[in-house]
């Protein structure tokens, strides 16, 4: 060990005080503490003059993991050959001249509230690296792991609050994590299945055998430790907002209530549908309603290399037909957008639905579609987005952009602008290296109100 300014350090930079504090936190039985991380420094305020800057107070990202087919969702090609247009027909929407897949009737009725980007394009067609590009706006690098949207928002907007600034339902992909921002910006993952009657958010209760009174005594002990540290080392106590946040989350009835779906009326729960995605979207609405800036809802299964009709339309529920990925999404997405609108929250809540890429223009021999990043669709609503429009277009067969190509970096610039994060703002790695929030992206001006 070496000694600097009266404090003892290990060779990994951890002080004796840090070790004592870590032991005290472990004794508290806070399983969630190591996931909340050490949010030690509150980021300063960034500035930007772009139109729409900071319109959205919060964001709900519906991550359709695996790569949803643009041709079977928001970019149908009814005039293309059968092997291109696929098994589903298009239907009209509430926006004249705009058609989407017949499996999205509820979303079609809300088309005037949403914007569809049909010309998203990327060179990356492997899940891991494509995930990273879409969730960060940066192409992956072997030397640096970039933070996701939610992590950046958590870093910028962090401060005293009961609920975490970045929540993932039920889990999050590694590429939707904190990157070089570290544990301080990592999302709080609920775990479990919100559609189940016994759904409980993990680590939201005291460790077995540890009650409120005992935790309060240990909290007082940590306060005494701070004062002792000050008297021995001559340094002022270091504020510990991450501990206080963990304490508030475990001890706050309001925090528990935020995650309690049983508070919702039966008709509201039914509106979102009984399946996991719908109830996850309902939970996301409850969280942004209570001030959570970023919620990431993950919906798996969109990697449809085979049995496209079964996976996308019918589902695997036996006699109950029509509960596949797309009808489930339609019910949940439309309920979320409509519910936010009725509650006066849509104008300040950005809703995004996307995956890492699209699917091949032609059906394969297994009745599915393979990875296709060259062109795909992203849907946005609320939070300063001008609805009732389609931005860009794919070519005749949905093979590539025909007009107005949009890159993940462009999308990132726009998302950050709407959320009030200056895309030119510099973040810093653990060793002090400055890295801009976004690099090379251009604002999608026509998307903004």
């Amino acid at each position: 060990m070496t000694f600097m300014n009266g404090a003892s350090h290990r060779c990994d930079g951890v002080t004796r005080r840090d070790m004592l504090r870590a032991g005290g936190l472990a004794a508290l039985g806070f399983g969630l503490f190591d996931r909340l991380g050490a949010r030690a420094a509150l980021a300063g305020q960034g500035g930007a003059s772009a139109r729409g800057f900071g319109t959205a107070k919060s964001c709900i990202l519906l991550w359709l993991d695996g790569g949803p087919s643009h041709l079977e969702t928001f970019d149908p090609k009814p005039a293309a050959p059968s092997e291109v247009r696929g098994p589903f027909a298009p239907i009209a929407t509430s926006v004249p001249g705009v058609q989407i897949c017949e499996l999205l009737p509820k979303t079609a009725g809300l088309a005037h509230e949403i914007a569809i980007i049909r010309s998203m394009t990327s060179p990356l067609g492997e899940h891991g690296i494509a995930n990273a590009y879409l969730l960060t706006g940066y192409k992956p690098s072997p030397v640096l792991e970039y933070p996701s949207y939610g992590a950046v928002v958590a870093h910028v907007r962090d401060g005293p609050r009961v609920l975490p600034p970045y929540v993932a339902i039920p889990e999050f992909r590694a590429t939707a994590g904190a990157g070089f921002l570290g544990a301080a910006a990592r999302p709080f993952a609920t775990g479990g299945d919100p559609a189940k009657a016994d759904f409980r958010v993990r680590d939201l209760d005291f460790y077995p055998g540890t009650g409120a009174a005992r935790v309060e005594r240990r909290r007082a002990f940590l306060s005494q430790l701070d004062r002792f540290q000050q008297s021995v080392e001559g340094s002022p106590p270091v504020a510990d907002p991450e501990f206080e946040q963990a304490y508030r989350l475990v001890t706050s009835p309001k925090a528990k209530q935020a995650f309690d779906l049983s508070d919702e009326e039966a008709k509201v729960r039914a509106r979102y549908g009984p399946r996991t995605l719908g109830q996850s979207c309902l939970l996301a609405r409850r969280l942004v309603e209570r001030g959570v800036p970023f919620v990431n809802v993950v919906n798996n299964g969109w990697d449809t290399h085979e049995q496209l009709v079964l996976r996308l339309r019918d589902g695997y529920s036996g006699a109950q037909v029509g509960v596949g990925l797309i009808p489930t999404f339609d019910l949940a997405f439309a309920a979320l957008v409509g519910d936010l609108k009725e509650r006066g929250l849509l104008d300040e809540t950005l809703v995004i639905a996307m995956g890492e890429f699209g699917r091949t223009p032609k059906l394969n021999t297994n009745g599915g579609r393979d990875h296709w990043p060259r062109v795909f669709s992203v849907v946005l609503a609320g939070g300063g987005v001008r609805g009732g429009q389609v931005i860009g277009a794919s070519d005749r067969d949905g093979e590539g952009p025909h007009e107005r190509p949009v890159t993940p970096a462009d999308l990132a610039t726009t998302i950050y602008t709407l959320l009030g994060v200056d895309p030119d703002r510099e973040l810093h790695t653990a060793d002090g290296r400055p890295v801009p929030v976004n690099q090379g992206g251009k604002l999608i001006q026509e998307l903004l109100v």
Side-chain angles (χ1 to χ4, degrees), residues 46-396:
S49 58
R51 180 165 57 95
F53 185 81
T55 308
K57 294 181 181 179
S58 57
C59 177
I60 298 174
L61 169 60
L62 307 186
W63 180 252
L64 311 181
D65 192 69
S69 169
H70 53 298
L71 297 161
E72 271 73 43
T73 53
F74 293 100
D75 194 9
K77 300 293 180 181
S82 59
E83 68 270 19
V84 172
R85 69 173 181 264
F88 309 132
I91 56 172
T93 69
S94 61
V95 178
V98 176
Q99 295 181 319
I100 60 177
C101 177
E102 64 178 329
L103 303 182
L104 295 164
K106 293 183 180 295
T107 302
L110 286 172
H112 56 283
E113 299 287 358
I114 68 176
I116 303 171
I117 302 175
R118 285 181 171 167
S119 53
M120 287 297 304
T121 184
S122 163
L124 306 179
E126 187 276 326
H127 290 295
I129 57 177
N131 265 262
Y133 196 11
L134 265 294
L135 288 166
T136 68
Y138 272 94
K139 291 180 181 178
S141 165
V143 298
L144 189 63
E145 184 180 352
Y146 295 100
S148 64
Y149 300 126
V152 172
V153 171
H155 178 75
V156 170
R157 296 199 193 173
D158 195 13
R161 63 174 76 234
V162 172
L163 294 170
Y166 179 18
V167 178
I169 308 171
E171 303 289 349
F172 63 96
R173 293 288 171 267
T175 46
F180 65 74
L181 291 177
R186 191 167 53 196
F188 173 79
T190 63
D193 183 350
K196 292 185 177 180
D198 60 352
F199 169 66
R200 294 177 66 86
V201 176
R202 65 187 178 202
D203 297 332
L204 202 59
D205 295 307
F206 293 112
Y207 190 80
T210 305
R214 187 175 179 185
V215 168
E216 181 57 40
R217 289 196 301 270
R218 294 179 184 182
R219 186 185 187 209
F221 168 75
L222 287 178
S223 178
Q224 292 176 351
L225 178 64
D226 277 336
R227 291 193 292 272
F228 173 75
Q229 179 74 20
Q230 181 180 17
S231 66
V232 171
E233 298 184 355
S235 57
V238 178
D240 203 346
E242 66 276 9
F243 169 76
E244 290 301 320
Q245 184 188 66
Y247 178 83
R248 287 193 299 268
L249 188 56
V250 171
T251 59
S252 169
K254 289 184 178 180
K256 291 179 172 61
Q257 184 184 32
F259 291 100
D260 186 3
L261 289 175
S262 66
D263 268 2
E264 296 288 338
E265 295 181 14
K267 64 180 181 180
V268 175
R269 298 199 67 171
R271 179 181 185 180
Y272 281 83
R275 292 177 285 281
T276 302
L277 177 59
Q279 296 302 301
S280 296
C281 287
L282 175 55
L283 179 55
R285 189 222 77 202
R286 289 179 62 84
L287 293 173
V288 299
E289 200 171 26
R290 290 160 173 78
V292 174
F294 202 99
V295 183
N296 181 13
V297 175
V298 177
N299 183 220
N300 296 311
W302 292 87
D303 193 20
T304 50
H305 289 280
E306 58 185 20
Q307 297 182 298
L308 180 146
V309 173
L310 177 63
R311 292 170 179 267
L312 295 185
R313 186 189 67 188
D314 299 338
Y316 291 92
S317 56
Q320 189 179 7
V321 179
V323 295
L325 289 165
I326 299 178
T328 297
F329 168 82
D330 182 49
L331 188 61
F333 179 74
L336 177 61
V337 172
D339 199 6
L340 288 170
K341 178 76 173 179
E342 293 163 15
R343 292 169 184 268
L345 295 170
L346 186 60
D347 287 345
E348 61 187 43
T349 306
L350 176 63
V351 181
I352 309 166
M354 67 177 183
E356 60 264 45
F357 40 60
R359 313 302 294 188
T360 48
K362 291 185 179 181
L363 291 165
N364 61 31
T365 57
N366 295 316
R369 300 185 191 268
D370 302 313
H371 302 181
W372 195 257
R374 192 181 302 173
V375 72
F376 55 104
S377 301
V378 168
V379 179
L380 305 97
V385 167
R386 183 164 65 87
Q389 64 168 327
V390 173
I391 296 173
S394 63
D395 59 22
R396 183 191 64 178

